[in-house]
Amino acid sequence: MADSKITHWINLAKEGDASAYEALWNHYFASVVALAKGRMFKLRGSLYDEEDAALSAMKSLFRGINSGRFPELHDRDNLWRLLVVITHRKLRAQWRMESAEKRAASRTTELNIETVLSEEPSAAFVSEMMDQVERLMSELGDERLKRIAMLRLDGFTYDEIAEQLDCTNRTVCRKVERIRHIWGKEMELLDAED
């Protein structure tokens, strides 16, 4: 049911329906904040926080949908992957900007958020990040693990996932720990590349 609802919102958003944008915002914003929070380690002490990153990512997503920049966006899997890519790009851009300011010793106390919000990911970057997300999903191997990972990324609680998959909360907890273990090794490699 969640799949068809989100697909429906995406299709309506492509047609310019404001209520679809609001529905997507309500469904995904908290998940994007959580995603950004997990990647904020390079920006500790920054004026820029996970909500800034999420706001920027959602704005870029909506601007891209509105301008037809994402023709391959059809379902929640595509949408989440795209949000991961955009959010990661926003955080890297902010980190680069702050690093450059520190090196130049010209850091100001006021953050120019318009600069961050105006940057759109290139098609090549989006493609590369989607490939990385797909690779991480393929590392899970098991379809049930993939489904649990996507539901967690979509912001579902353990209880909601257990209900959808007709299993216990404890089973979901064990599967999430397994996903973290598998992805933990992958994320350490990605962090080392940064």
Side-chain angles (χ1 to χ4, degrees):
M1 181 168 119
D3 291 347
S4 61
K5 178 174 60 172
I6 292 168
T7 300
H8 180 67
W9 292 338
I10 291 169
N11 291 331
L12 288 176
K14 286 180 177 181
E15 295 171 5
D17 186 320
S19 66
Y21 285 111
E22 183 178 350
L24 289 169
W25 175 277
N26 291 335
H27 189 80
Y28 281 99
F29 183 72
S31 296
V32 177
V33 169
L35 169 70
K37 186 175 185 176
R39 300 290 296 170
M40 292 290 294
F41 60 92
K42 288 186 176 182
L43 292 168
R44 286 194 184 105
S46 173
L47 295 174
Y48 190 79
D49 67 10
E50 58 271 9
E51 286 195 7
D52 294 324
L55 286 167
S56 180
M58 296 298 288
K59 181 177 178 181
S60 292
L61 171 72
F62 293 160
R63 192 180 309 141
I65 291 172
N66 193 40
S67 66
R69 288 192 58 232
F70 308 125
E72 298 299 315
L73 179 60
H74 299 295
D75 59 28
R76 71 182 187 85
D77 292 337
N78 296 126
L79 179 59
W80 180 252
R81 289 178 186 133
L82 186 57
L83 280 169
V84 168
V85 167
I86 293 171
T87 304
H88 182 75
R89 175 112 194 257
K90 296 294 181 180
L91 291 170
R92 286 187 64 95
Q94 182 63 26
W95 178 77
R96 284 184 185 127
M97 184 178 79
E98 289 188 16
S99 295
E101 288 175 352
K102 285 177 185 176
R103 283 191 304 271
S106 62
R107 182 165 174 82
T108 62
T109 58
E110 197 171 304
L111 177 65
N112 183 352
I113 199 70
E114 288 304 314
T115 302
V116 176
L117 292 177
S118 67
E119 294 180 16
E120 295 291 332
S122 68
F125 181 82
V126 170
S127 176
E128 179 184 336
M129 288 305 296
M130 288 183 82
D131 288 345
Q132 287 184 13
V133 170
E134 286 177 22
R135 184 179 55 78
L136 284 172
M137 286 300 224
S138 70
E139 290 291 322
L140 297 177
D142 180 80
E143 289 304 314
R144 192 168 179 119
L145 286 180
K146 291 178 186 178
R147 180 79 175 135
I148 290 171
M150 287 308 299
L151 289 169
R152 279 300 290 156
L153 292 172
D154 281 341
F156 288 90
T157 66
Y158 287 12
D159 290 333
E160 292 168 333
I161 294 170
E163 184 178 323
Q164 281 194 31
L165 299 180
D166 194 29
C167 64
T168 66
N169 181 295
R170 184 165 164 74
T171 298
V172 174
C173 290
R174 282 195 321 270
K175 299 288 185 184
V176 168
E177 283 306 311
R178 187 166 170 213
I179 292 166
R180 285 183 181 143
H181 177 73
I182 293 167
W183 282 359
K185 293 176 184 176
E186 293 293 323
M187 295 312 288
E188 285 173 14
L189 292 174
L190 288 175
D191 290 341
E193 292 171 5
D194 289 346

